[in-house]
Amino acid sequence: REQARLRASVVEEDTEQWQRDPHFSGLHRVGGVDLSYIKGDESRACASLVVLSYPALEVLYQDCRMVPVTAPYVAGFLAFREVPVLVEAVQRLQQEQPQLQPQVLLVDGNGLLHPRGFGTACHLGVLTDLPCIGVAKNLLHVDGLVRDELHREQVRSLQRSGEAFPLTGTSGKVLGMVLRSYNNSSKPLYVSVGHRVSLDTAVRLVRACCRFRVPEPIRQADIRSREYLQK
């Protein structure tokens, strides 16, 4: 019920001037979020929020801290486990260094590509009212989408960085895009709309943020949360 209620607030198109520019002129700060867990400990995690400059992709801000995780992991409801602590991280940044607030957030997870059309990227986007993009490393099996031989053949057909194809469910709705983000990686990314961004813009921006397979804001959030755990 909560997902359905919040789902009504999702905006699936571009709302910012920079999003409509072919070179993203006016975009200066891109955020990435991630949670890293300690093996064998489901009650705590390291929540990480980083903000990178754009287009240089240099880290301007990082916030890594241990947080309690109270909700159990239930497939399709990951947001209830992770989003509250990520919202708190965004709010801390807004209070302490508002000039570094990201203009868009990249989320390690799905947006509209979700059983009820409301994944973590949508949830975080609606609660923070920031443009959000879902970037997943694996295909979520929803609306008839499966990693069958046809899907694998389509993935193999992506020869160069930036090539993509739409994920169309049996309902006929395009739920996301499969993107080859990096020439040296044959494993694609699954990009979907979170909030206040169109799918085309989401795919263009994710590609523009990739030095490796995973876009740099998410990659840096992941690296820094793992380093924090090791310390």
Side-chain angles (χ1 to χ4, degrees):
R1 280 202 304 273
E2 179 77 349
Q3 284 177 331
R5 181 180 71 79
L6 293 171
R7 171 75 180 83
S9 301
V10 171
V11 176
E12 298 180 37
E13 62 252 4
D14 295 330
T15 60
E16 306 304 298
Q17 199 60 46
W18 61 262
Q19 294 168 328
R20 301 180 181 92
D21 186 283
H23 306 293
F24 296 126
S25 299
L27 175 63
H28 305 295
R29 295 174 309 283
V30 182
V33 293
D34 187 58
L35 258 75
S36 289
Y37 294 87
I38 303 168
K39 229 177 184 165
D41 183 357
E42 290 292 299
S43 65
R44 293 182 309 151
C46 177
S48 173
L49 164 66
V50 297
V51 181
L52 276 61
S53 63
Y54 186 88
L57 301 176
E58 290 167 350
V59 176
L60 302 173
Y61 172 93
Q62 74 168 48
D63 178 357
C64 294
R65 60 183 67 196
M66 295 305 295
V67 293
V69 178
T70 51
Y73 171 73
V74 182
F77 298 98
L78 181 66
F80 292 95
R81 183 175 166 87
E82 298 194 342
V83 164
V85 295
L86 296 175
V87 169
E88 284 174 13
V90 171
Q91 288 170 341
R92 268 197 305 275
L93 168 57
Q94 288 168 333
Q95 285 160 8
E96 293 167 14
Q97 298 196 54
Q99 74 282 6
L100 292 179
Q101 170 165 297
Q103 293 162 277
V104 59
L105 277 174
L106 272 55
V107 180
D108 182 8
N110 291 293
L112 297 179
L113 182 58
H114 179 269
R116 285 164 301 285
F118 196 73
T120 303
C122 296
H123 209 127
L124 185 61
V126 168
L127 292 187
T128 60
D129 200 33
L130 289 172
C132 270
I133 298 171
V135 185
K137 294 187 275 293
N138 297 298
L139 176 64
L140 197 60
H141 293 193
V142 297
D143 195 12
L145 297 173
V146 284
R147 273 192 69 229
D148 56 9
E149 190 47 46
L150 172 63
H151 180 80
R152 286 192 283 268
E153 187 59 44
Q154 286 177 298
V155 168
R156 283 194 290 270
S157 75
L158 303 176
Q159 294 296 311
R160 287 191 305 277
S161 162
E163 293 185 355
F165 65 86
L167 281 168
T168 308
T170 48
S171 63
K173 185 170 168 59
V174 175
L175 301 174
M177 294 282 278
V178 183
L179 169 69
R180 181 160 182 162
S181 58
Y182 182 56
N183 274 335
N184 293 2
S185 175
S186 57
K187 291 180 178 175
L189 295 174
Y190 297 90
V191 179
S192 56
V193 168
H195 184 51
R196 291 179 55 190
V197 66
S198 69
L199 184 56
D200 284 350
T201 299
V203 171
R204 279 198 306 126
L205 183 62
V206 168
R207 188 201 171 193
C209 287
C210 285
R211 286 178 175 161
F212 303 97
R213 178 193 173 207
V214 175
E216 206 60 14
I218 292 174
R219 187 172 159 270
Q220 289 297 332
D222 175 60
I223 287 170
R224 284 152 200 268
S225 62
R226 289 176 194 279
E227 283 175 354
Y228 189 92
L229 285 184
Q230 283 173 341
K231 279 180 195 164

